[in-house]
Amino acid sequence: PPALPIVSALPPQSDLIIAICQLTSTDNTAQNLSTINQFITAAMQHTPAPHLVALPENALYMGSNPPVVSVEGSKVTGGGIENIISLAAQHSVHISLGGIRTATTTSSGTVHHNTHILISPDGNTAIYHKTHLFRFDPSHHTDTEKALDETHSTAAGDRLVVATIAGVTVGL
C-alpha cells in the first residue's frame, strides 16, 4: 500500500512548508492520478497546510511509452497534467513534479525534453527542461551490457529555473 505523505518544514527562519509524497507509479495514468489526489488531499489536512506538494519523478506515468505533455510557452497540456493543475487550484497549493516527457514545437520540428513542472494555485507554470542528461556506459560496470543514453531521444535544456513560493526562492 502507498505510504502517507510526509509534511516537513525548512529551517526555523523559513515559513515554507513542504509536503513530500512518495508513490509507486504504474503505466496507468488514471490510477496514478487517483493516488496523487488522495495524497494531496491528505497533505492539505495538516495544520498548517503546506505551500508546496512535491511529487516524485514519473508520478503521472511509469512505463515504456509515457504520454507526451505538450509545452507551448508556459502552457502545458496532456498526459494528465490538467488534473494536476486542477488539484493545485482546488487546494490552493503549488505542486511540483518531474520526469515528465514533454514535446515542444519549434521551427526545426518537435523537440522532446525530460521536464520538471511547478504549478501554482492560479494555474501558472514554471518549466525546467533537465540540463544534464543521463548517460550510462556499461563498459565501467560488470552487471549489465546495456548502454542507456538519454541524449538519443531527449534534448538538454539550456537554462536553470527558479520560482518564489511563500517568499522563498526555490530552484526546479
Side-chain angles (χ1 to χ4, degrees):
L4 292 176
I6 300 169
V7 177
S8 64
L10 293 176
Q13 68 271 14
S14 171
D15 291 325
L16 179 63
I17 300 170
I18 303 170
I20 301 169
C21 300
Q22 186 61 35
L23 63 135
T24 302
S25 300
T26 68
D27 60 1
N28 183 330
T29 302
Q31 179 181 336
N32 297 335
L33 284 166
S34 176
T35 301
I36 290 167
N37 182 26
Q38 291 172 26
F39 283 176
I40 291 175
T41 300
M44 298 310 293
Q45 302 306 309
H46 289 271
T47 304
H51 301 99
L52 169 65
V53 174
L55 299 173
E57 281 192 326
N58 304 307
L60 291 176
Y61 184 92
M62 184 64 168
S64 58
N65 295 306
V68 177
V69 173
S70 174
V71 175
E72 298 300 330
S74 63
K75 182 176 169 94
V76 291
T77 57
I81 203 75
E82 294 90 350
N83 299 74
I84 303 298
I85 292 170
S86 293
L87 285 171
Q90 175 186 343
H91 293 289
S92 296
V93 67
H94 288 79
I95 301 175
S96 170
L97 64 163
I100 306 297
R101 183 156 174 81
T102 59
T104 304
T105 303
T106 68
S107 58
S108 309
T110 301
V111 178
H112 290 96
H113 290 97
N114 181 340
T115 303
H116 190 102
I117 302 171
L118 175 67
I119 302 165
S120 69
D122 61 7
N124 289 324
T125 57
I127 299 167
Y128 165 71
H129 299 303
K130 185 177 172 184
T131 56
H132 297 91
L133 300 178
F134 180 82
R135 296 182 93 173
F136 173 76
D137 180 355
S139 66
H140 301 287
H141 303 274
T142 58
D143 59 344
T144 184
E145 296 178 7
K146 184 176 180 183
L148 301 172
D149 189 346
E150 194 174 21
T151 64
H152 290 306
S153 61
T154 306
D158 60 1
R159 64 188 169 93
L160 300 178
V161 177
V162 296
T164 302
I165 303 171
V168 177
T169 301
V170 297
L172 278 63

